[in-house]
């Protein structure tokens, strides 16, 4: 799996960031004082939710909405537990670029999950 991600990362070494979400896309989620406009609903038993099949189905749907490189960086960091330095070496990107991609992935996932959780019903 990791070899495939490395290969894809090398093939698109200088991929344009134009397909990445603009940070301004998330402005509507925050109030003027920087707080979330609508907080997420509290989950009952987050540990059990994390391992549930429904969680991973929604995660997969949400990750497909993101640009591929953004989703790949997020999975490498948060699911596979790789260090940022290792991700940067594998994908030949800078630490700053990696941090930006992680931020964008988290914001995208937060928005997507808030929509899909309510659509799927309580998990």
């Amino acid at each position: 799996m990791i070899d495939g991600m490395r290969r894809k990362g090398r093939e698109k070494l200088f991929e344009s960031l134009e397909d990445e979400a603009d940070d301004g896309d998330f402005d509507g989620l925050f109030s003027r004082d920087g707080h979330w406009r609508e907080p997420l609903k509290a989950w009952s038993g987050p540990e059990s939710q994390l391992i549930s099949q429904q969680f991973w189905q929604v995660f997969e749907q949400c990750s497909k909405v993101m640009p591929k490189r953004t989703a790949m960086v997020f999975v490498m960091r948060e699911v596979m537990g790789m260090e940022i330095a290792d991700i940067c070496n594998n994908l030949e990107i800078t630490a700053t670029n990696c941090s930006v991609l992680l931020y964008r992935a988290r914001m995208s996932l937060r928005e997507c999950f808030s929509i899909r959780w309510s659509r799927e019903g309580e998990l």
Side-chain angles (χ1 to χ4, degrees), residues 21-37:
D22 180 13
D23 292 342
D25 294 345
F26 302 109
D27 288 344
L29 299 174
F30 301 96
S31 64
R32 288 183 181 218
D33 63 359
H35 291 89
W36 293 106
R37 287 188 189 270

Side-chain angles (χ1 to χ4, degrees), residues 46-106:
E47 293 80 18
S48 64
Q49 298 300 329
L50 183 63
I51 59 175
S52 75
Q53 184 178 15
Q54 290 175 327
F55 172 87
W56 291 110
Q57 288 173 344
V58 172
F59 176 81
E60 184 176 344
Q61 292 169 355
C62 291
S63 65
K64 287 180 181 178
V65 175
M66 288 187 280
K68 289 181 183 180
R69 178 159 273 203
T70 303
M72 185 179 356
V73 169
F74 182 83
V75 168
M76 290 171 82
R77 175 70 177 150
E78 302 299 342
V79 177
M80 297 171 68
M82 293 177 68
E83 296 294 325
I84 289 179
D86 294 331
I87 296 168
C88 293
N89 287 333
N90 287 322
L91 300 179
E92 298 179 0
I93 60 175
T94 65
T96 301
N97 190 11
C98 184
S99 296
V100 168
L101 294 174
L102 286 169
Y103 171 79
R104 291 175 178 172
R106 290 175 181 132

Side-chain angles (χ1 to χ4, degrees), residues 1-13:
M1 180 175 163
I2 190 71
D3 290 334
M5 286 196 280
R6 286 181 186 150
R7 191 176 322 105
K8 286 180 185 177
R10 287 188 189 112
E11 290 172 357
K12 295 184 178 182
L13 183 60

